[in-house]
Amino acid sequence: VPLDLVAEEIRLVVLLPAVNYTDPLFALFAHESMYGKVSYQCLSYTWGTGEATSELTLNGQIFYIRKNLEDALRNLRSDTDQTTVWIDAICIDQDNLRERSRQVARMHQIYENADCVIAWLGEADEDSDLAMDFIANARGYSSMEIPLDYGWDAGEAEVPEEFEYFEDTVEVDESEIIQAKTAKYRSRDSSPAAGNKGKGALEDEFQGLSLAGVKWKEKDARCWAAIFRLLQRPYFRRMW
């Protein structure tokens, strides 16, 4: 059903619950004004390049989606409640150029009006669990900033007791910024080899890093190597 462009409508996917992870995916379409009061989430993910071969039954008809989106929906799906989500690949008619151009231009507002935006990085593995746990523990350690360029920024930092990855309270000398080592992990090389270092090699190199006298323990090296591998996922290489 076409969107009412005058009413600033958007489509929403209402994902139906299922008890088992492997149960078929069923969903309904809903139309809502962009300025309406319906609660919804936005899904941020990578489309991928493979064929759309996974089945989603949408309003009683088979709609083919790619495997990465199938995985995301299975993880988002509740076993008891409906889940309302905006997904660009489904909620925008990709064959309707007029609608697509209008909806893409409004994506910033669609995301802004959502209750939350879910970033789907892909299926979890041992490395990603380690990285996410490490990041969660680091949330209270606001004095340490890791910029997107080379090296770590510095400032006087007191390590919280619960932040188990560091040893003792330290004062950070602003002149002590590590550049040479970290530059190796921010390669702009687009070849697959850029992210294919073995676990042991990465952990050995991170083991040698220090932050103004804070020596990484063996566990720290594994954590930073896991974060590096997490950041090599396709999600962080996409265009938007």
Side-chain angles (χ1 to χ4, degrees):
V1 178
L3 294 174
D4 186 336
L5 301 180
V6 176
E8 298 285 357
E9 278 190 341
I10 59 173
R11 292 187 189 88
L12 296 171
V13 172
V14 181
L15 189 60
L16 303 184
V19 174
N20 301 309
Y21 179 87
T22 57
D23 286 346
L25 292 166
F26 289 91
L28 303 172
F29 257 148
H31 286 211
E32 175 63 27
S33 169
M34 186 185 299
Y35 306 103
K37 297 182 179 180
V38 172
S39 296
Y40 66 93
Q41 302 168 336
C42 278
L43 179 64
S44 174
Y45 70 107
T46 53
W47 280 29
T49 57
E51 293 293 324
T53 58
S54 300
E55 292 187 357
L56 166 66
T57 302
L58 186 60
N59 282 11
Q61 298 184 8
I62 299 298
F63 187 92
Y64 288 99
I65 57 177
R66 292 186 172 95
K67 183 64 168 62
N68 191 41
L69 179 52
E70 177 195 359
D71 293 340
L73 293 180
R74 290 190 182 282
N75 281 274
L76 279 175
R77 181 171 59 180
S78 168
D79 57 359
T80 57
D81 301 315
Q82 296 180 349
T83 303
T84 304
V85 59
W86 187 89
I87 308 164
D88 56 356
I90 300 177
C91 296
I92 299 175
D93 184 352
Q94 301 296 323
D95 295 325
N96 185 329
L97 296 180
R98 181 167 178 250
E99 176 185 311
R100 189 173 70 185
S101 62
R102 288 178 64 94
Q103 291 287 290
V104 168
R106 288 162 172 73
M107 281 179 64
H108 70 285
Q109 182 132 29
I110 294 172
Y111 275 77
E112 184 178 314
N113 292 346
D115 288 353
C116 70
V117 176
I118 299 169
W120 173 251
L121 306 184
E123 290 283 11
D125 58 26
E126 181 181 353
D127 271 351
S128 64
D129 287 344
L130 179 62
M132 297 303 285
D133 287 345
F134 183 72
I135 292 168
N137 284 335
R139 288 179 62 187
Y141 192 56
S142 58
S143 297
M144 184 180 75
E145 297 180 0
I146 303 177
L148 295 179
D149 57 357
Y150 303 132
W152 282 290
D153 205 353
E156 189 171 303
E158 183 169 321
V159 184
E161 291 181 4
E162 66 271 15
F163 196 68
E164 62 180 351
Y165 298 104
F166 293 97
E167 292 174 334
D168 298 306
T169 300
V170 296
E171 289 188 359
V172 178
D173 182 356
E174 292 192 5
S175 66
E176 187 170 351
I177 299 176
I178 303 162
Q179 294 185 346
K181 285 280 188 179
T182 54
K184 297 169 68 174
Y185 307 112
R186 293 182 172 83
S187 171
R188 297 293 190 266
D189 187 352
S190 60
S191 66
N196 285 343
K197 279 201 172 188
K199 287 188 179 182
L202 276 174
E203 289 166 11
D204 287 346
E205 294 197 47
F206 275 105
Q207 184 70 50
L209 292 177
S210 66
L211 173 60
V214 181
K215 298 293 184 182
W216 304 123
K217 305 174 188 176
E218 181 181 353
K219 184 176 181 181
D220 303 331
R222 292 199 306 271
C223 290
W224 284 111
I227 289 173
F228 170 74
R229 285 188 287 268
L230 180 69
L231 295 177
Q232 298 307 300
R233 291 191 175 208
Y235 182 88
F236 297 103
R237 297 169 181 261
R238 63 193 196 135
M239 295 298 294
W240 59 26

